[in-house]
Amino acid sequence: MSRRLLLIRVIVILTSLLGLNYVVWRWLFSVNWDAWWIAVPLVVAESYSLIDSLLFGLGMWRLKERETPPPPEPGLTVDVFIATYNEPIELVMTTARAARAITYPHQTWVLDDGNRPEMRAAAEAEGIGWITRSAEWAGMPRHAKAGNLNNALLTTEGEFLLILDADMIPKPEMLDHTLGFFVDERMALVQTPQYFTNVPEEDPLGSQAPLFYGPIQQGKDGWNSAFFCGSNAVIRREALMQLGVSRYVGEVEVGVHRALKTARAVLRSARRTLDPGEAQAREALDAILQEIGRARRDLARGGALFDVTYRFQKRVGAIRRDLVAADLEALQSDLAVIAELDGIGSDPDLALATMDDEVLQQMAHRDWSPLGAVETVQALVNAIDVDRGGEAQAVMPMATISVTEDMATCMRLHALGWKSAYHDEVLALGLAPEDLQTMLTQRLRWAQGTVQVMFKENPLVQKGLTLAQRLMYFSTMWSYMSGFAALVYIGAPVVYLTLGVLPVNALSFEFFVRLIPFLVINQLLFFVVADGRKTWRGQQYSLALFPVWITSFTTAFGNVFLGRSLDFAVTPKTKREPTGPAWHLIRPQLWAMGLLVLAVLAGIARMASGQANIPGSLFNMVWVAFDLLIFSVIIKAALYRGYEPSDESDPVPVTAGTSHQGAS
């Protein structure tokens, strides 16, 4: 173990002990229950921050600094994918030419989701491959960048894929410095940093993310949970295709089980309505119930889905033919009811994949005639979407459950037992947003995608992941809930300075002796793990973008649970012309800063009139000053007019901006 890692672990232990000591004491002894409306939110926010700190410390516990990998084996086949939608042609071609110049043998492809003839002509004129969506995608869900990549995966054959955004210019040695990791046959992905050339030294928009593309990814790497960030990554095709096939089989299997469960309920409902004299119908229903039991047992023993469903369909079809002649009139009545059920419409083939549980419950509890029940059972099993008729491709290796494909895809790979690596070497140079609006659009999309994954496939309950992997993925998702805590950290000092309401029982020595050491050691941990990297800007934006984080949470919740559209704008592709400070984009932050300043003035007036506790007021004023220091970055961002190279030789590509398919 290196001395640095040993020091990090000592600080992590101290941070954890001091943080637990403070928060437990806060809950047990210091909450001012008379002012519960501010006291409880504050202690909850502090508990949230402690959990955030503990998760960060867990990641740092196994921070992994990888050595340079061995040279790659000769003869590997590699496809370089450059994902584009509507970026300027010359920007895409600048990246494509650099990709073509990568020294390790490979094939370069422009994945043109915009299907532009001029893009195709430019690529093919320089010997670069061009791929757009196949005809099967017409009228089908497109799934943005994930769909673009999935389409290209079924068009190409390389053993490995290098995925690049349209503005990420690779260095010639990119494959030589990453393919060596794949000597491990279980290595699925190698992620490298995203570094931007059009960012000034002060980085007013917080684009470089040196804490994430460094210690955080290295910490996750130590727990085999470094994840795909959408670009600058090499992926093993075999891993992706295994993932796509396994997800496909899993979804079909779920459909089969739902169909058999509902079919059994339908048959039992029909059987209860039979008269004693309807022996033929009773025997038919009992026979199908036996077939359902047999099918479920076969599936439990690992029987092939297609074989099981085929046998079941054949048996039900034979029984149906025996009953048709005797019950034609009842059949017509039941078919009319089937057609009227919500979610099915006039199509006699039930779209089981799109039917919700309420529709299935309606079917299961209706009083069916024997023949109507058999018809329904046959329709249910026939409706299992083996070919995924609602999608352009049956197999979708890249996850399509969120507006960002990367985290969910990598989490699923880890759940299958694959490995990932983070290689901390800048091997591609890209372009960051150059104005506040573009940056906010980009951050909102990233946050929405992450929260969508949390709601749809919460890592804490995903099978196949280790406990550490679950916590590492969850820690990233957890961090996007900081917007709600920020509201409390803004409001608490305002409430005290203006109203004199203290959320703790007393600002005593016991309070400060617990709080101050925790804050100091926590900042020391950031300092040590940063190892000279500038991480302050990232800490500022974790609080200053609280409206974005709150919006991402509420909109993702509405999308996943209420079926609402995310309704977010596509990231602009080119640099915006300056039109003056973008104050309208940061109104919530300006209101917060105004309230903080007014609170300080109110606190001074209350102290001058003898109405306020001076030590408590001074403490809260320091708190306000820290909040204002944090928020100062958003003022710089609103005033930022874009990157201006200090030297004409600066290696800045054609133009700034990223598409809706940008990395996350």
Side-chain angles (χ1 to χ4, degrees), residues 148-179:
N148 194 9
L149 292 171
N150 283 330
N151 175 73
L153 277 166
L154 299 190
T155 307
T156 56
E157 299 179 350
E159 300 169 82
F160 299 95
L161 314 169
L162 168 57
I163 297 178
L164 299 169
D165 280 342
D167 55 4
M168 279 288 177
I169 299 178
K171 296 183 179 181
E173 64 270 22
M174 189 162 194
L175 291 176
D176 290 304
H177 288 198
T178 52
L179 286 174

PDB file of all heavy atoms in Angstrom, residues 148-179:
ATOM      1  N   ASN A 148     -28.435   5.088 -31.891  1.00  0.00           N
ATOM      2  CA  ASN A 148     -27.426   5.258 -32.930  1.00  0.00           C
ATOM      3  C   ASN A 148     -26.315   4.218 -32.785  1.00  0.00           C
ATOM      4  O   ASN A 148     -25.900   3.574 -33.758  1.00  0.00           O
ATOM      5  CB  ASN A 148     -26.856   6.675 -32.844  1.00  0.00           C
ATOM      6  CG  ASN A 148     -26.048   7.070 -34.065  1.00  0.00           C
ATOM      7  OD1 ASN A 148     -26.017   6.374 -35.067  1.00  0.00           O
ATOM      8  ND2 ASN A 148     -25.386   8.208 -33.985  1.00  0.00           N
ATOM      9  N   LEU A 149     -25.843   4.032 -31.576  1.00  0.00           N
ATOM     10  CA  LEU A 149     -24.787   3.046 -31.326  1.00  0.00           C
ATOM     11  C   LEU A 149     -25.296   1.622 -31.532  1.00  0.00           C
ATOM     12  O   LEU A 149     -24.591   0.768 -32.086  1.00  0.00           O
ATOM     13  CB  LEU A 149     -24.237   3.225 -29.909  1.00  0.00           C
ATOM     14  CG  LEU A 149     -23.447   4.508 -29.640  1.00  0.00           C
ATOM     15  CD1 LEU A 149     -23.164   4.666 -28.152  1.00  0.00           C
ATOM     16  CD2 LEU A 149     -22.139   4.519 -30.425  1.00  0.00           C
ATOM     17  N   ASN A 150     -26.507   1.344 -31.074  1.00  0.00           N
ATOM     18  CA  ASN A 150     -27.055  -0.003 -31.251  1.00  0.00           C
ATOM     19  C   ASN A 150     -27.195  -0.354 -32.725  1.00  0.00           C
ATOM     20  O   ASN A 150     -26.931  -1.488 -33.135  1.00  0.00           O
ATOM     21  CB  ASN A 150     -28.417  -0.108 -30.548  1.00  0.00           C
ATOM     22  CG  ASN A 150     -28.279  -0.259 -29.044  1.00  0.00           C
ATOM     23  OD1 ASN A 150     -27.303  -0.819 -28.556  1.00  0.00           O
ATOM     24  ND2 ASN A 150     -29.247   0.245 -28.303  1.00  0.00           N
ATOM     25  N   ASN A 151     -27.609   0.601 -33.523  1.00  0.00           N
ATOM     26  CA  ASN A 151     -27.706   0.371 -34.961  1.00  0.00           C
ATOM     27  C   ASN A 151     -26.338   0.037 -35.552  1.00  0.00           C
ATOM     28  O   ASN A 151     -26.195  -0.904 -36.344  1.00  0.00           O
ATOM     29  CB  ASN A 151     -28.290   1.614 -35.636  1.00  0.00           C
ATOM     30  CG  ASN A 151     -28.319   1.494 -37.142  1.00  0.00           C
ATOM     31  OD1 ASN A 151     -29.123   0.762 -37.717  1.00  0.00           O
ATOM     32  ND2 ASN A 151     -27.419   2.213 -37.812  1.00  0.00           N
ATOM     33  N   ALA A 152     -25.311   0.801 -35.157  1.00  0.00           N
ATOM     34  CA  ALA A 152     -23.964   0.579 -35.688  1.00  0.00           C
ATOM     35  C   ALA A 152     -23.378  -0.743 -35.209  1.00  0.00           C
ATOM     36  O   ALA A 152     -22.610  -1.390 -35.934  1.00  0.00           O
ATOM     37  CB  ALA A 152     -23.054   1.736 -35.282  1.00  0.00           C
ATOM     38  N   LEU A 153     -23.732  -1.175 -34.009  1.00  0.00           N
ATOM     39  CA  LEU A 153     -23.207  -2.439 -33.486  1.00  0.00           C
ATOM     40  C   LEU A 153     -23.609  -3.617 -34.363  1.00  0.00           C
ATOM     41  O   LEU A 153     -22.839  -4.578 -34.522  1.00  0.00           O
ATOM     42  CB  LEU A 153     -23.717  -2.658 -32.061  1.00  0.00           C
ATOM     43  CG  LEU A 153     -22.931  -1.963 -30.952  1.00  0.00           C
ATOM     44  CD1 LEU A 153     -23.726  -1.963 -29.657  1.00  0.00           C
ATOM     45  CD2 LEU A 153     -21.585  -2.646 -30.741  1.00  0.00           C
ATOM     46  N   LEU A 154     -24.801  -3.569 -34.931  1.00  0.00           N
ATOM     47  CA  LEU A 154     -25.261  -4.666 -35.770  1.00  0.00           C
ATOM     48  C   LEU A 154     -24.826  -4.520 -37.220  1.00  0.00           C
ATOM     49  O   LEU A 154     -25.142  -5.359 -38.057  1.00  0.00           O
ATOM     50  CB  LEU A 154     -26.788  -4.771 -35.691  1.00  0.00           C
ATOM     51  CG  LEU A 154     -27.367  -5.063 -34.301  1.00  0.00           C
ATOM     52  CD1 LEU A 154     -28.844  -5.381 -34.401  1.00  0.00           C
ATOM     53  CD2 LEU A 154     -26.619  -6.193 -33.596  1.00  0.00           C
ATOM     54  N   THR A 155     -24.091  -3.443 -37.512  1.00  0.00           N
ATOM     55  CA  THR A 155     -23.607  -3.194 -38.869  1.00  0.00           C
ATOM     56  C   THR A 155     -22.126  -3.502 -39.011  1.00  0.00           C
ATOM     57  O   THR A 155     -21.636  -3.742 -40.114  1.00  0.00           O
ATOM     58  CB  THR A 155     -23.866  -1.718 -39.254  1.00  0.00           C
ATOM     59  OG1 THR A 155     -25.244  -1.428 -39.034  1.00  0.00           O
ATOM     60  CG2 THR A 155     -23.521  -1.427 -40.702  1.00  0.00           C
ATOM     61  N   THR A 156     -21.394  -3.484 -37.892  1.00  0.00           N
ATOM     62  CA  THR A 156     -19.945  -3.648 -37.907  1.00  0.00           C
ATOM     63  C   THR A 156     -19.554  -4.940 -37.201  1.00  0.00           C
ATOM     64  O   THR A 156     -20.392  -5.615 -36.603  1.00  0.00           O
ATOM     65  CB  THR A 156     -19.278  -2.441 -37.222  1.00  0.00           C
ATOM     66  OG1 THR A 156     -19.804  -2.308 -35.885  1.00  0.00           O
ATOM     67  CG2 THR A 156     -19.564  -1.161 -37.986  1.00  0.00           C
ATOM     68  N   GLU A 157     -18.245  -5.257 -37.228  1.00  0.00           N
ATOM     69  CA  GLU A 157     -17.805  -6.555 -36.707  1.00  0.00           C
ATOM     70  C   GLU A 157     -16.569  -6.494 -35.817  1.00  0.00           C
ATOM     71  O   GLU A 157     -16.102  -7.524 -35.352  1.00  0.00           O
ATOM     72  CB  GLU A 157     -17.520  -7.508 -37.875  1.00  0.00           C
ATOM     73  CG  GLU A 157     -18.726  -7.799 -38.758  1.00  0.00           C
ATOM     74  CD  GLU A 157     -18.401  -8.728 -39.908  1.00  0.00           C
ATOM     75  OE1 GLU A 157     -17.189  -8.974 -40.117  1.00  0.00           O
ATOM     76  OE2 GLU A 157     -19.327  -9.207 -40.581  1.00  0.00           O
ATOM     77  N   GLY A 158     -15.991  -5.330 -35.564  1.00  0.00           N
ATOM     78  CA  GLY A 158     -14.760  -5.254 -34.789  1.00  0.00           C
ATOM     79  C   GLY A 158     -14.891  -5.853 -33.405  1.00  0.00           C
ATOM     80  O   GLY A 158     -15.935  -5.749 -32.762  1.00  0.00           O
ATOM     81  N   GLU A 159     -13.800  -6.455 -32.920  1.00  0.00           N
ATOM     82  CA  GLU A 159     -13.817  -7.039 -31.578  1.00  0.00           C
ATOM     83  C   GLU A 159     -13.933  -5.975 -30.490  1.00  0.00           C
ATOM     84  O   GLU A 159     -14.456  -6.236 -29.406  1.00  0.00           O
ATOM     85  CB  GLU A 159     -12.531  -7.826 -31.341  1.00  0.00           C
ATOM     86  CG  GLU A 159     -12.290  -8.980 -32.296  1.00  0.00           C
ATOM     87  CD  GLU A 159     -10.875  -9.504 -32.149  1.00  0.00           C
ATOM     88  OE1 GLU A 159     -10.640 -10.311 -31.220  1.00  0.00           O
ATOM     89  OE2 GLU A 159      -9.997  -9.087 -32.941  1.00  0.00           O
ATOM     90  N   PHE A 160     -13.432  -4.780 -30.793  1.00  0.00           N
ATOM     91  CA  PHE A 160     -13.451  -3.692 -29.818  1.00  0.00           C
ATOM     92  C   PHE A 160     -13.993  -2.425 -30.466  1.00  0.00           C
ATOM     93  O   PHE A 160     -13.900  -2.235 -31.688  1.00  0.00           O
ATOM     94  CB  PHE A 160     -12.046  -3.443 -29.258  1.00  0.00           C
ATOM     95  CG  PHE A 160     -11.473  -4.635 -28.541  1.00  0.00           C
ATOM     96  CD1 PHE A 160     -10.648  -5.536 -29.201  1.00  0.00           C
ATOM     97  CD2 PHE A 160     -11.780  -4.866 -27.208  1.00  0.00           C
ATOM     98  CE1 PHE A 160     -10.137  -6.645 -28.547  1.00  0.00           C
ATOM     99  CE2 PHE A 160     -11.284  -5.976 -26.546  1.00  0.00           C
ATOM    100  CZ  PHE A 160     -10.458  -6.868 -27.215  1.00  0.00           C
ATOM    101  N   LEU A 161     -14.567  -1.566 -29.640  1.00  0.00           N
ATOM    102  CA  LEU A 161     -15.145  -0.308 -30.106  1.00  0.00           C
ATOM    103  C   LEU A 161     -14.508   0.839 -29.331  1.00  0.00           C
ATOM    104  O   LEU A 161     -14.407   0.786 -28.106  1.00  0.00           O
ATOM    105  CB  LEU A 161     -16.654  -0.277 -29.859  1.00  0.00           C
ATOM    106  CG  LEU A 161     -17.455  -1.523 -30.234  1.00  0.00           C
ATOM    107  CD1 LEU A 161     -18.868  -1.420 -29.680  1.00  0.00           C
ATOM    108  CD2 LEU A 161     -17.478  -1.685 -31.742  1.00  0.00           C
ATOM    109  N   LEU A 162     -14.078   1.863 -30.046  1.00  0.00           N
ATOM    110  CA  LEU A 162     -13.682   3.114 -29.418  1.00  0.00           C
ATOM    111  C   LEU A 162     -14.798   4.105 -29.712  1.00  0.00           C
ATOM    112  O   LEU A 162     -15.076   4.407 -30.876  1.00  0.00           O
ATOM    113  CB  LEU A 162     -12.349   3.620 -29.973  1.00  0.00           C
ATOM    114  CG  LEU A 162     -11.965   5.066 -29.603  1.00  0.00           C
ATOM    115  CD1 LEU A 162     -11.915   5.272 -28.103  1.00  0.00           C
ATOM    116  CD2 LEU A 162     -10.645   5.458 -30.256  1.00  0.00           C
ATOM    117  N   ILE A 163     -15.444   4.597 -28.670  1.00  0.00           N
ATOM    118  CA  ILE A 163     -16.582   5.496 -28.839  1.00  0.00           C
ATOM    119  C   ILE A 163     -16.146   6.922 -28.546  1.00  0.00           C
ATOM    120  O   ILE A 163     -15.572   7.209 -27.486  1.00  0.00           O
ATOM    121  CB  ILE A 163     -17.747   5.079 -27.931  1.00  0.00           C
ATOM    122  CG1 ILE A 163     -18.233   3.688 -28.333  1.00  0.00           C
ATOM    123  CG2 ILE A 163     -18.889   6.090 -28.001  1.00  0.00           C
ATOM    124  CD1 ILE A 163     -19.338   3.140 -27.479  1.00  0.00           C
ATOM    125  N   LEU A 164     -16.428   7.811 -29.505  1.00  0.00           N
ATOM    126  CA  LEU A 164     -16.051   9.220 -29.384  1.00  0.00           C
ATOM    127  C   LEU A 164     -17.248  10.102 -29.702  1.00  0.00           C
ATOM    128  O   LEU A 164     -18.036   9.798 -30.599  1.00  0.00           O
ATOM    129  CB  LEU A 164     -14.916   9.556 -30.361  1.00  0.00           C
ATOM    130  CG  LEU A 164     -13.588   8.822 -30.202  1.00  0.00           C
ATOM    131  CD1 LEU A 164     -12.708   9.082 -31.419  1.00  0.00           C
ATOM    132  CD2 LEU A 164     -12.875   9.267 -28.926  1.00  0.00           C
ATOM    133  N   ASP A 165     -17.366  11.204 -28.967  1.00  0.00           N
ATOM    134  CA  ASP A 165     -18.311  12.235 -29.368  1.00  0.00           C
ATOM    135  C   ASP A 165     -17.735  13.000 -30.545  1.00  0.00           C
ATOM    136  O   ASP A 165     -16.519  12.957 -30.816  1.00  0.00           O
ATOM    137  CB  ASP A 165     -18.603  13.183 -28.201  1.00  0.00           C
ATOM    138  CG  ASP A 165     -19.616  12.599 -27.225  1.00  0.00           C
ATOM    139  OD1 ASP A 165     -20.331  11.660 -27.607  1.00  0.00           O
ATOM    140  OD2 ASP A 165     -19.689  13.082 -26.078  1.00  0.00           O
ATOM    141  N   ALA A 166     -18.591  13.736 -31.230  1.00  0.00           N
ATOM    142  CA  ALA A 166     -18.186  14.386 -32.477  1.00  0.00           C
ATOM    143  C   ALA A 166     -17.107  15.437 -32.282  1.00  0.00           C
ATOM    144  O   ALA A 166     -16.421  15.805 -33.239  1.00  0.00           O
ATOM    145  CB  ALA A 166     -19.408  15.022 -33.148  1.00  0.00           C
ATOM    146  N   ASP A 167     -16.941  15.932 -31.053  1.00  0.00           N
ATOM    147  CA  ASP A 167     -15.956  16.987 -30.816  1.00  0.00           C
ATOM    148  C   ASP A 167     -14.780  16.504 -29.971  1.00  0.00           C
ATOM    149  O   ASP A 167     -14.024  17.316 -29.439  1.00  0.00           O
ATOM    150  CB  ASP A 167     -16.618  18.192 -30.136  1.00  0.00           C
ATOM    151  CG  ASP A 167     -17.353  17.806 -28.855  1.00  0.00           C
ATOM    152  OD1 ASP A 167     -17.277  16.628 -28.461  1.00  0.00           O
ATOM    153  OD2 ASP A 167     -18.013  18.675 -28.263  1.00  0.00           O
ATOM    154  N   MET A 168     -14.620  15.200 -29.838  1.00  0.00           N
ATOM    155  CA  MET A 168     -13.526  14.635 -29.053  1.00  0.00           C
ATOM    156  C   MET A 168     -12.419  14.133 -29.987  1.00  0.00           C
ATOM    157  O   MET A 168     -12.549  13.077 -30.613  1.00  0.00           O
ATOM    158  CB  MET A 168     -14.024  13.502 -28.159  1.00  0.00           C
ATOM    159  CG  MET A 168     -14.683  13.967 -26.894  1.00  0.00           C
ATOM    160  SD  MET A 168     -13.460  14.646 -25.735  1.00  0.00           S
ATOM    161  CE  MET A 168     -14.541  15.182 -24.405  1.00  0.00           C
ATOM    162  N   ILE A 169     -11.343  14.886 -30.106  1.00  0.00           N
ATOM    163  CA  ILE A 169     -10.274  14.565 -31.043  1.00  0.00           C
ATOM    164  C   ILE A 169      -9.271  13.623 -30.381  1.00  0.00           C
ATOM    165  O   ILE A 169      -8.581  14.006 -29.441  1.00  0.00           O
ATOM    166  CB  ILE A 169      -9.569  15.842 -31.521  1.00  0.00           C
ATOM    167  CG1 ILE A 169     -10.589  16.740 -32.245  1.00  0.00           C
ATOM    168  CG2 ILE A 169      -8.397  15.513 -32.429  1.00  0.00           C
ATOM    169  CD1 ILE A 169     -10.020  18.038 -32.727  1.00  0.00           C
ATOM    170  N   PRO A 170      -9.175  12.366 -30.862  1.00  0.00           N
ATOM    171  CA  PRO A 170      -8.282  11.399 -30.220  1.00  0.00           C
ATOM    172  C   PRO A 170      -6.824  11.628 -30.593  1.00  0.00           C
ATOM    173  O   PRO A 170      -6.508  12.111 -31.681  1.00  0.00           O
ATOM    174  CB  PRO A 170      -8.794  10.068 -30.763  1.00  0.00           C
ATOM    175  CG  PRO A 170      -9.311  10.408 -32.126  1.00  0.00           C
ATOM    176  CD  PRO A 170      -9.908  11.792 -32.003  1.00  0.00           C
ATOM    177  N   LYS A 171      -5.941  11.242 -29.689  1.00  0.00           N
ATOM    178  CA  LYS A 171      -4.517  11.253 -29.980  1.00  0.00           C
ATOM    179  C   LYS A 171      -4.141   9.963 -30.717  1.00  0.00           C
ATOM    180  O   LYS A 171      -4.813   8.928 -30.561  1.00  0.00           O
ATOM    181  CB  LYS A 171      -3.716  11.385 -28.691  1.00  0.00           C
ATOM    182  CG  LYS A 171      -3.935  12.703 -27.960  1.00  0.00           C
ATOM    183  CD  LYS A 171      -3.065  12.803 -26.720  1.00  0.00           C
ATOM    184  CE  LYS A 171      -3.254  14.143 -25.994  1.00  0.00           C
ATOM    185  NZ  LYS A 171      -2.400  14.262 -24.802  1.00  0.00           N
ATOM    186  N   PRO A 172      -3.080   9.977 -31.499  1.00  0.00           N
ATOM    187  CA  PRO A 172      -2.712   8.784 -32.276  1.00  0.00           C
ATOM    188  C   PRO A 172      -2.491   7.537 -31.429  1.00  0.00           C
ATOM    189  O   PRO A 172      -2.745   6.422 -31.875  1.00  0.00           O
ATOM    190  CB  PRO A 172      -1.420   9.215 -32.990  1.00  0.00           C
ATOM    191  CG  PRO A 172      -1.510  10.708 -33.065  1.00  0.00           C
ATOM    192  CD  PRO A 172      -2.211  11.132 -31.808  1.00  0.00           C
ATOM    193  N   GLU A 173      -2.021   7.721 -30.203  1.00  0.00           N
ATOM    194  CA  GLU A 173      -1.686   6.571 -29.358  1.00  0.00           C
ATOM    195  C   GLU A 173      -2.863   6.063 -28.542  1.00  0.00           C
ATOM    196  O   GLU A 173      -2.703   5.208 -27.656  1.00  0.00           O
ATOM    197  CB  GLU A 173      -0.537   6.942 -28.421  1.00  0.00           C
ATOM    198  CG  GLU A 173      -0.865   8.035 -27.405  1.00  0.00           C
ATOM    199  CD  GLU A 173      -0.584   9.450 -27.898  1.00  0.00           C
ATOM    200  OE1 GLU A 173      -0.540   9.639 -29.141  1.00  0.00           O
ATOM    201  OE2 GLU A 173      -0.408  10.349 -27.050  1.00  0.00           O
ATOM    202  N   MET A 174      -4.076   6.529 -28.798  1.00  0.00           N
ATOM    203  CA  MET A 174      -5.207   6.206 -27.915  1.00  0.00           C
ATOM    204  C   MET A 174      -5.444   4.705 -27.785  1.00  0.00           C
ATOM    205  O   MET A 174      -5.637   4.188 -26.680  1.00  0.00           O
ATOM    206  CB  MET A 174      -6.476   6.893 -28.404  1.00  0.00           C
ATOM    207  CG  MET A 174      -7.624   6.783 -27.407  1.00  0.00           C
ATOM    208  SD  MET A 174      -8.924   7.981 -27.715  1.00  0.00           S
ATOM    209  CE  MET A 174      -9.843   7.867 -26.160  1.00  0.00           C
ATOM    210  N   LEU A 175      -5.431   3.982 -28.875  1.00  0.00           N
ATOM    211  CA  LEU A 175      -5.654   2.538 -28.792  1.00  0.00           C
ATOM    212  C   LEU A 175      -4.433   1.803 -28.252  1.00  0.00           C
ATOM    213  O   LEU A 175      -4.563   0.818 -27.509  1.00  0.00           O
ATOM    214  CB  LEU A 175      -6.036   1.993 -30.167  1.00  0.00           C
ATOM    215  CG  LEU A 175      -7.417   2.412 -30.688  1.00  0.00           C
ATOM    216  CD1 LEU A 175      -7.641   1.902 -32.103  1.00  0.00           C
ATOM    217  CD2 LEU A 175      -8.522   1.911 -29.760  1.00  0.00           C
ATOM    218  N   ASP A 176      -3.242   2.267 -28.583  1.00  0.00           N
ATOM    219  CA  ASP A 176      -2.020   1.635 -28.072  1.00  0.00           C
ATOM    220  C   ASP A 176      -1.951   1.705 -26.548  1.00  0.00           C
ATOM    221  O   ASP A 176      -1.350   0.828 -25.915  1.00  0.00           O
ATOM    222  CB  ASP A 176      -0.788   2.321 -28.674  1.00  0.00           C
ATOM    223  CG  ASP A 176      -0.630   2.026 -30.158  1.00  0.00           C
ATOM    224  OD1 ASP A 176      -0.563   0.839 -30.518  1.00  0.00           O
ATOM    225  OD2 ASP A 176      -0.605   2.983 -30.949  1.00  0.00           O
ATOM    226  N   HIS A 177      -2.558   2.740 -25.949  1.00  0.00           N
ATOM    227  CA  HIS A 177      -2.476   2.927 -24.498  1.00  0.00           C
ATOM    228  C   HIS A 177      -3.688   2.385 -23.754  1.00  0.00           C
ATOM    229  O   HIS A 177      -3.784   2.569 -22.533  1.00  0.00           O
ATOM    230  CB  HIS A 177      -2.304   4.411 -24.181  1.00  0.00           C
ATOM    231  CG  HIS A 177      -0.954   4.938 -24.532  1.00  0.00           C
ATOM    232  ND1 HIS A 177      -0.453   6.115 -24.015  1.00  0.00           N
ATOM    233  CD2 HIS A 177       0.019   4.456 -25.342  1.00  0.00           C
ATOM    234  CE1 HIS A 177       0.756   6.333 -24.508  1.00  0.00           C
ATOM    235  NE2 HIS A 177       1.058   5.340 -25.320  1.00  0.00           N
ATOM    236  N   THR A 178      -4.611   1.741 -24.457  1.00  0.00           N
ATOM    237  CA  THR A 178      -5.804   1.223 -23.775  1.00  0.00           C
ATOM    238  C   THR A 178      -6.081  -0.249 -24.075  1.00  0.00           C
ATOM    239  O   THR A 178      -6.560  -0.975 -23.201  1.00  0.00           O
ATOM    240  CB  THR A 178      -7.051   2.044 -24.162  1.00  0.00           C
ATOM    241  OG1 THR A 178      -7.138   2.116 -25.592  1.00  0.00           O
ATOM    242  CG2 THR A 178      -6.991   3.444 -23.585  1.00  0.00           C
ATOM    243  N   LEU A 179      -5.793  -0.707 -25.286  1.00  0.00           N
ATOM    244  CA  LEU A 179      -6.137  -2.078 -25.649  1.00  0.00           C
ATOM    245  C   LEU A 179      -5.399  -3.113 -24.808  1.00  0.00           C
ATOM    246  O   LEU A 179      -5.884  -4.242 -24.638  1.00  0.00           O
ATOM    247  CB  LEU A 179      -5.845  -2.319 -27.130  1.00  0.00           C
ATOM    248  CG  LEU A 179      -6.817  -1.691 -28.139  1.00  0.00           C
ATOM    249  CD1 LEU A 179      -6.313  -1.907 -29.564  1.00  0.00           C
ATOM    250  CD2 LEU A 179      -8.218  -2.259 -27.970  1.00  0.00           C
TER     251      LEU A 179
END
